[in-house]
Amino acid sequence: MKKILLSLFTVLFAAPSFAQYSSGGFSLSESSLYYGIRLGMNFATLTGDDVDLGTKVGLNFGGTVGLRVSETTPIFLESGLYFTGCGAKKDKNSVSLNYLELPLLIKYGVQVTDEIALLPFIGPTFRYGIFGGKWKTSGEGKVDSFGDNKFKRADMGIKLGCGAEYNKLYLELGYQFGIANIADWELTNHDDASVHNGALFLNLGVNF
């Protein structure tokens, strides 16, 4: 956690160096292709049947690429590849679910000032569970969260929020909620368990 916070503060204090650029990573007045890097935090939860866990903080980072798709309207399509840490935690019980994530977002640009643009966004996101998934309980210790009768690796959700760009510096806040059932076990009181990912996320980054 200390390393995560240190990285975030490094990006924040580097902001003045980005101000030397005269334009952002893309322009709302012309067609453009842009690239970006993102670093931030997830405040993740799990919701569903027999789930009684709270928020777990995880790392969120990756690269993006976007393209304006209309000459008359500032609409952009953005995708990329992220590492994103999800799961949940309460007392000595915790679930860590680490994914590779591929979002497909639609963004709309709103020019607020000559230097600041707001970019609300929405779109589907696809995730696949990778290394490091752990399920820790006070009685059993750590087991693989993506093992048999635990959680499915494949996940899908909806991502929505709003970004803001000042020169090349980018900040976004949003929420992603899972629409796929990631539970891979049966419960005694009904046929199948239903568990979904959810996470509030805050990212900093730079657009080129």
Side-chain angles (χ1 to χ4, degrees), residues 29-94:
S29 62
E30 61 185 25
S31 300
S32 58
L33 176 70
Y34 66 92
Y35 304 91
I37 55 175
R38 305 286 186 262
L39 171 65
M41 301 176 72
N42 283 340
F43 301 89
T45 59
L46 293 172
T47 59
D49 301 323
D50 289 359
V51 175
D52 184 22
L53 295 171
T55 301
K56 181 179 177 64
V57 179
L59 183 64
N60 183 31
F61 65 88
T64 64
V65 59
L67 176 68
R68 179 167 176 159
V69 295
S70 171
E71 294 183 358
T72 59
T73 307
I75 297 177
F76 301 82
L77 289 181
E78 183 179 288
S79 187
L81 187 63
Y82 288 80
F83 169 88
T84 181
C86 297
K89 183 178 181 180
K90 184 177 180 180
D91 299 327
K92 295 183 179 180
N93 301 317
S94 67

Side-chain angles (χ1 to χ4, degrees), residues 12 26 29 36 55 73 82 147 152-153 161 170-171 180 195:
L12 278 172
F26 56 86
S29 62
T55 301
T73 307
Y82 288 80
K152 299 173 183 177
R153 292 184 181 271
Y170 180 82
L171 172 70
V195 177

Side-chain angles (χ1 to χ4, degrees), residues 136-148:
K136 181 180 179 182
T137 64
S138 56
E140 298 182 5
K142 293 182 179 181
V143 296
D144 186 358
S145 298
F146 296 118
D148 294 337

Side-chain angles (χ1 to χ4, degrees), residues 41-194:
M41 301 176 72
N42 283 340
F43 301 89
T45 59
L46 293 172
T47 59
D49 301 323
D50 289 359
V51 175
D52 184 22
L53 295 171
T55 301
K56 181 179 177 64
V57 179
L59 183 64
N60 183 31
F61 65 88
T64 64
V65 59
L67 176 68
R68 179 167 176 159
V69 295
S70 171
E71 294 183 358
T72 59
T73 307
I75 297 177
F76 301 82
L77 289 181
E78 183 179 288
S79 187
L81 187 63
Y82 288 80
F83 169 88
T84 181
C86 297
K89 183 178 181 180
K90 184 177 180 180
D91 299 327
K92 295 183 179 180
N93 301 317
S94 67
V95 178
S96 297
L97 301 172
N98 299 318
Y99 296 93
L100 284 180
E101 178 182 356
L102 178 70
L104 298 173
L105 304 177
I106 298 176
K107 288 190 169 185
Y108 183 83
V110 179
Q111 197 78 41
V112 179
T113 70
D114 291 339
E115 296 181 321
I116 298 175
L118 295 180
L119 296 117
F121 58 84
I122 189 171
T125 182
F126 305 91
R127 291 185 288 261
Y128 187 80
I130 55 173
F131 65 91
K134 296 296 181 183
W135 190 339
K136 181 180 179 182
T137 64
S138 56
E140 298 182 5
K142 293 182 179 181
V143 296
D144 186 358
S145 298
F146 296 118
D148 294 337
N149 298 319
K150 298 297 188 300
F151 293 94
K152 299 173 183 177
R153 292 184 181 271
D155 186 26
M156 178 180 177
I158 300 295
K159 198 170 187 177
L160 56 88
C162 186
E165 180 173 335
Y166 170 71
N167 293 315
K168 291 183 177 292
L169 184 63
Y170 180 82
L171 172 70
E172 66 180 6
L173 176 68
Y175 190 83
Q176 52 184 355
F177 55 92
I179 59 177
N181 178 17
I182 61 171
D184 196 20
W185 71 88
E186 293 184 354
L187 300 180
T188 56
N189 55 344
H190 43 74
D191 293 337
D192 294 294
S194 179

